[in-house]
Amino acid sequence: MNDAPWEAYLASSFPAYLLPDATRRELTEGAAAQLLERLGGGPDALGLLRATSLAARHADAIEAFCLRALPEFLPRLPLRSTAGPRAWEGRLPGRPDLAATLRQRLAGHPTRFVTRDRVADLGRPEDTVLAATARRLRALLARLDAADLGAALGLSRASACLDALDQALSAPSLTSIPDERPARAHEDAALAAAHPTYALAARLHRALREAEAARDPGTLAQLVAQGALLPLKASTRFELAVLLRLVEALEAALDARSPGRFHLRRTAVQQGRREIAALEASDGATLRLFYNQACLPPGPHERTVRRYLGFQGRLRPDLVLLVEAPGAAPRAVLIEAKLSRDPTYLAQGFQQAWLYRHEYASWLTGWPKVVLVMPAPVPTEPRHDDDVIAVGWDGWVGESLLHGVLTGIVAPTCNRA
């Protein structure tokens, strides 16, 4: 993240406007995953969130283990060996066990020899923890590398750590250790081992295990509150900042115009609710805000594309504000958030906004109809005779826009009859 004003706003606000306080204290794993997926993080967002949270907290220990402790320790990895009999057919390598070989002769095996060899024993609990930590850290760093998040989490040498683990895991001293999942007793043994590398491995393994197995509602809520933005792209974060500021501005404006009438519901993790937030009045008036959803019926563009090309995709405005009041016709306002200062890209965004204006004309009966929000200031104020307007972050959300949105509040539902 950088020091852009919208980034600072988002960091201070998320997820306070999306999750009611009670839910933040008792966030289930399913609700956490649902929230992150609905915000664009994808089905694996919670797993990535756990990985980023752990990496950020233990960056120094991870680099110490991967780049110093493990490479220096592996050549001196103490191996404990045990002597045991081995049978050979037609040859005699090693030191013969004469008594055992004689028994083979008496048993009718004249070409079988028995030796007593020393076999390396790599089954010690501390060795199991050492190998498991290297393998699990390698998987975690590979996930962060794929998401290009290593440096952002304080792992300035994330790629070097990944290379060092690849090299270590190809060494015979680690490949010979069975791939087993250590228990707490294994970690305790590693913590008590003489060499400090074992203790470092045990502490990291315990942190990995606890992060991956986190089911406690408080822990999950803390993970989401502290790190949910990390897996998201900058453009997605800007969309969320635009969304949160709109919710905040609508709540304040309605409270000023009609104190106590509207109640804000943060519905991001509520089952059966498609909207991110809703402002509801006891008389049935409602404003609902949808994020990245095709909640309006297909318009002429979608219908003809489907007819001639067989394309089933839907247009998805970044934000759809739907408002309903008893006995009034429905109305919508569409918002597109474009994180760019490139005039060509922003002009393309404006063209997309005009497509929405004509695609959903029957819903866009008030002012403004479509709003393009960008991070940089816009040199002119919105004009009421423009169906599509552009505003900068510094002017989002202005009083004239709020007045247009809330004038004669009318509330469509997502399924218009």
Side-chain angles (χ1 to χ4, degrees):
M1 295 186 187
N2 55 41
D3 57 355
W6 66 267
E7 286 271 33
Y9 169 82
L10 182 62
S12 66
S13 303
F14 187 87
Y17 290 112
L18 298 183
L19 300 175
D21 290 342
T23 306
R24 291 181 69 188
R25 289 195 298 269
E26 301 177 0
L27 192 64
T28 66
E29 182 177 16
Q34 180 184 351
L35 170 65
L36 294 175
E37 184 169 1
R38 289 185 64 180
L39 294 181
D44 191 42
L46 185 57
L48 181 59
L49 177 58
R50 286 187 171 120
T52 56
S53 177
L54 182 137
R57 290 199 307 271
H58 301 282
D60 292 342
I62 291 173
E63 290 190 354
F65 178 79
C66 297
L67 301 179
R68 294 188 295 276
L70 189 60
E72 293 173 3
F73 178 61
L74 280 184
R76 305 195 303 271
L77 181 62
L79 302 179
R80 184 168 52 193
S81 60
T82 56
R86 298 186 66 184
W88 305 86
E89 194 67 37
R91 59 195 183 99
L92 183 60
R95 186 172 59 185
D97 185 329
L98 297 179
T101 299
L102 179 59
R103 287 195 294 271
Q104 293 293 327
R105 296 287 188 277
L106 296 175
H109 304 292
T111 60
R112 185 171 298 174
F113 299 88
V114 179
T115 62
R116 292 194 66 81
D117 301 321
R118 302 199 68 81
V119 181
D121 176 17
L122 294 172
R124 294 173 300 179
E126 57 267 37
D127 293 323
T128 301
V129 172
L130 186 73
T133 302
R135 291 173 182 135
R136 294 175 79 168
L137 272 180
R138 200 270 171 212
L140 179 143
L141 291 175
R143 168 180 274 181
L144 297 180
D145 182 67
D148 196 24
L149 286 171
L153 299 171
L155 285 165
S156 58
R157 305 180 66 188
S159 296
C161 289
L162 195 55
D163 293 341
L165 286 174
D166 285 337
Q167 184 174 355
L169 288 169
S170 65
S173 52
L174 282 188
T175 57
S176 302
I177 299 175
D179 188 2
E180 299 177 1
R181 182 155 291 234
R184 294 189 181 185
H186 293 79
E187 295 170 355
D188 292 339
L191 287 169
H195 200 282
T197 299
Y198 285 124
L200 178 57
R203 289 193 294 271
L204 284 173
H205 188 271
R206 182 161 292 177
L208 283 161
R209 175 173 53 79
E210 291 174 351
E212 292 176 1
R215 299 293 185 272
D216 174 67
T219 302
L220 286 166
Q222 184 178 22
L223 280 174
V224 172
Q226 292 180 350
L229 300 175
L230 275 175
L232 305 181
K233 296 184 297 184
S235 58
T236 303
R237 297 199 303 271
F238 183 60
E239 293 167 5
L240 292 177
V242 170
L243 181 154
L244 294 183
R245 179 167 273 187
L246 178 58
V247 173
E248 180 185 51
L250 287 172
E251 183 183 26
L254 287 170
D255 189 58
R257 287 161 170 77
S258 185
R261 180 185 171 203
F262 284 86
H263 173 69
L264 173 62
R265 287 184 177 272
R266 305 167 182 89
T267 56
V269 297
Q270 291 186 10
Q271 294 293 331
R273 301 296 290 260
R274 296 176 60 201
E275 68 271 19
I276 290 293
L279 287 148
E280 301 173 341
S282 59
D283 60 6
T286 306
L287 295 89
R288 292 191 175 90
L289 194 60
F290 295 80
Y291 173 66
N292 192 27
Q293 291 193 47
C295 64
L296 298 177
H301 169 79
E302 288 188 13
R303 290 196 299 267
T304 52
V305 168
R306 189 174 301 176
R307 181 184 306 124
Y308 291 109
L309 303 181
F311 182 69
Q312 300 297 316
R314 295 294 317 277
L315 295 175
R316 291 177 178 270
D318 291 335
L319 303 177
V320 177
L321 177 62
L322 299 178
V323 194
E324 71 176 311
R331 178 163 65 92
V333 179
L334 309 183
I335 298 102
E336 277 293 298
K338 297 297 183 187
L339 180 60
S340 177
R341 295 175 182 265
D342 178 11
T344 301
Y345 179 77
L346 293 174
Q348 292 172 351
F350 217 87
Q351 292 171 358
Q352 185 179 25
W354 270 100
L355 172 61
Y356 291 150
R357 185 261 176 271
H358 292 286
E359 182 75 354
Y360 303 115
S362 63
W363 288 86
L364 309 177
T365 57
W367 185 91
K369 302 181 187 304
V370 187
V371 185
L372 180 69
V373 186
M374 60 190 72
V378 174
T380 184
E381 292 294 320
R383 294 176 49 171
H384 283 259
D385 54 350
D386 289 334
D387 290 342
V388 179
I389 64 172
V391 297
W393 174 256
D394 60 339
W396 180 252
V397 180
E399 182 58 34
S400 64
L401 188 145
L402 285 170
H403 177 77
V405 168
L406 298 178
T407 296
I409 292 179
V410 286
T413 62
C414 240
N415 297 316
R416 187 184 182 187

